[in-house]
Amino acid sequence: MEILHDYRAYIFGNRTSLTIGNFDGLHLGHRRILQDVVETARRDGCHSLLITFEPHPLQLLNPGNTPPLITSGHEKNQLIADLGIDLLLVLKFDQSLSLMDGRQFVSQILCGALKAKHIFVGKNFVFGHRRSGNVELLQQMAREQDFNVHVIPEIVIRGSRISSTWIRELIQSGRISQANRLLGRYYSLSGPVIPGMGLGHRFLFPTLNLDPEDQLVPKAGVYVTVASFLDSSYESVTNIGWRPTVSGRNLSIETHLLDRQLSEPPDRMDLCIVHRLRNEQKFDSIESLRIQIERDCGRARRFFQRLERFKHLVGPSFQMRPSSYSGRSVIDISSDRDEPYK
């Protein structure tokens, strides 16, 4: 996949099959649109193109209400590439672009520069200054400028439309199993591994401490996780919270690798949040905390054992490897309720 940062950099002769949006999270609804974009492009000899914006438009239009990111820029780019998109156009959302009305955006950018032949959008799609562009305008201009508008139906689960807003709410409330289902993969955090207080190594269990990069952090609690670094993945348990038993003051993300010891910590780590085990709680003593961590590790091992048995039931198409955790669709064997493993 080639990444462009200026629409005038599109110098290819082919017309395009494209879509537009922030696509934060790359959830199942987004994937449906991108799959149609790619399939249509291949059928008609077009380039498949996704247009997104940097920074998020709300950072300019309404700075106090910019939503936290579900996916980092790097992760989102990789997920888009995995879906077969030929070109990613990252438009700088500045004052000039924010003042362009819907008709100008279509004429100057989509048709004039990008040679749109197919434009894929959701039914509630709006764009341009003061939300002057919508599906009706696209359909009107399609007749004038020779392109096709494809309105993709929403994906609805149990009466609710899949959206990035809904997924953020699920992650923030700790309902990670349901969020993973809507994403079509395990939610993950990425960032450098930073030094901790050293209490785990001295009194409890050794941990890797993650500093996430401007991403949405799940509700405080203990989670079954998969830690990936140096091209390998490790089953693990992660505590997200303030460590009340040891009077912690700052939010921390501490990951203990199950049945694995490292001679030295990695520089960076990707952490897939697979399943929630329990709330964070304060214990009367370090020994009580140590006993509870042992229980958490046992529950996590049983979770992975069950997942392994399920893998054998569904056959060889279900793969347990780093790319399965971070980018590919997953099959979530847990129920809608969190914390089922005792």
Side-chain angles (χ1 to χ4, degrees):
M1 182 180 73
E2 185 173 350
I3 300 177
L4 308 176
H5 294 277
D6 189 330
Y7 62 86
R8 289 161 293 203
Y10 186 83
I11 57 175
F12 308 97
N14 300 55
R15 296 185 69 180
T16 58
S17 171
L18 63 83
T19 188
I20 313 161
N22 287 301
F23 291 91
D24 185 27
L26 261 292
H27 56 62
L28 293 179
H30 293 148
R31 287 168 178 261
R32 163 69 188 276
I33 293 177
L34 296 186
Q35 286 167 357
D36 286 354
V37 167
V38 170
E39 289 172 4
T40 302
R42 289 173 178 170
R43 183 194 69 205
D44 285 4
C46 299
H47 278 123
S48 56
L49 170 66
L50 186 152
I51 303 171
T52 190
F53 305 97
E54 179 66 34
H56 192 290
L58 285 179
Q59 288 192 21
L60 179 67
L61 303 177
N62 194 355
N65 287 319
T66 305
L69 293 177
I70 298 172
T71 48
S72 65
H74 174 76
E75 182 186 14
K76 183 167 75 170
N77 291 355
Q78 184 59 57
L79 291 169
I80 292 169
D82 288 345
L83 289 171
I85 291 290
D86 297 320
L87 297 163
L88 172 63
L89 172 59
V90 184
L91 287 178
K92 181 181 180 181
F93 194 84
D94 54 18
Q95 192 72 19
S96 175
L97 186 61
S98 72
L99 294 175
M100 185 177 288
D101 66 29
R103 183 169 286 273
Q104 286 177 305
F105 187 82
V106 174
S107 296
Q108 182 176 329
I109 297 180
L110 301 188
C111 292
L114 301 176
K115 304 176 184 177
K117 182 175 182 178
H118 299 281
I119 298 177
F120 290 81
V121 293
K123 69 175 184 179
N124 297 318
F125 177 69
V126 293
F127 62 102
H129 184 56
R130 298 184 183 275
R131 302 165 71 90
S132 55
N134 53 26
V135 170
E136 183 179 353
L137 175 66
L138 284 174
Q139 291 171 334
Q140 175 188 331
M141 295 189 70
R143 295 187 289 270
E144 302 169 1
Q145 303 203 31
D146 184 32
F147 63 86
N148 302 294
V149 179
H150 305 263
V151 181
I152 304 299
E154 298 171 337
I155 294 183
V156 176
I157 293 182
R158 298 180 183 177
S160 298
R161 176 180 66 89
I162 295 180
S163 68
S164 299
T165 299
W166 184 15
I167 292 170
R168 287 190 195 97
E169 292 171 356
L170 292 172
I171 293 170
Q172 289 175 313
S173 63
R175 290 176 288 174
I176 201 69
S177 295
Q178 190 174 355
N180 287 341
R181 269 191 292 279
L182 302 187
L183 287 169
R185 66 182 187 283
Y186 296 125
Y187 181 64
S188 65
L189 300 170
S190 302
V193 175
I194 58 175
M197 297 174 59
L199 295 176
H201 285 273
R202 284 182 287 168
F203 305 114
L204 297 165
F205 295 79
T207 61
L208 300 174
N209 300 277
L210 179 69
D211 182 17
E213 298 175 330
D214 299 323
Q215 285 183 263
L216 183 65
V217 176
K219 180 183 178 181
V222 179
Y223 294 85
V224 177
T225 54
V226 175
S228 298
F229 47 86
L230 301 177
D231 298 322
S232 296
S233 293
Y234 304 94
E235 296 172 355
S236 56
V237 174
T238 296
N239 184 83
I240 297 175
W242 285 267
R243 299 171 299 168
T245 304
V246 295
S247 301
R249 296 183 178 180
N250 299 316
L251 180 71
S252 65
I253 302 174
E254 299 177 307
T255 297
H256 170 65
L257 306 183
L258 298 175
D259 309 312
R260 175 73 63 169
Q261 293 187 357
L262 301 176
S263 57
E264 59 182 38
D267 294 328
R268 293 183 59 83
M269 179 169 69
D270 296 326
L271 187 68
C272 292
I273 316 296
V274 179
H275 183 75
R276 181 179 174 88
L277 288 176
R278 63 174 176 85
N279 291 328
E280 185 181 43
Q281 62 189 95
K282 184 175 181 179
F283 294 90
D284 294 334
S285 66
I286 293 291
E287 178 60 19
S288 296
L289 174 59
R290 187 190 64 77
I291 292 172
Q292 181 59 55
I293 294 174
E294 285 184 343
R295 291 173 181 161
D296 295 336
C297 291
R299 293 171 66 193
R301 289 187 183 96
R302 289 193 292 276
F303 181 94
F304 284 117
Q305 288 168 1
R306 187 178 177 190
L307 193 61
E308 186 70 16
R309 289 197 297 270
F310 186 76
K311 177 187 70 173
H312 290 302
L313 286 175
V314 300
S317 62
F318 184 79
Q319 301 178 39
M320 296 287 287
R321 52 197 179 95
S323 59
S324 298
Y325 288 115
S326 60
R328 296 175 181 247
S329 296
V330 299
I331 302 173
D332 193 340
I333 63 170
S334 61
S335 67
D336 284 344
R337 295 173 299 172
D338 287 293
E339 309 179 27
Y341 294 92
K342 303 300 182 183

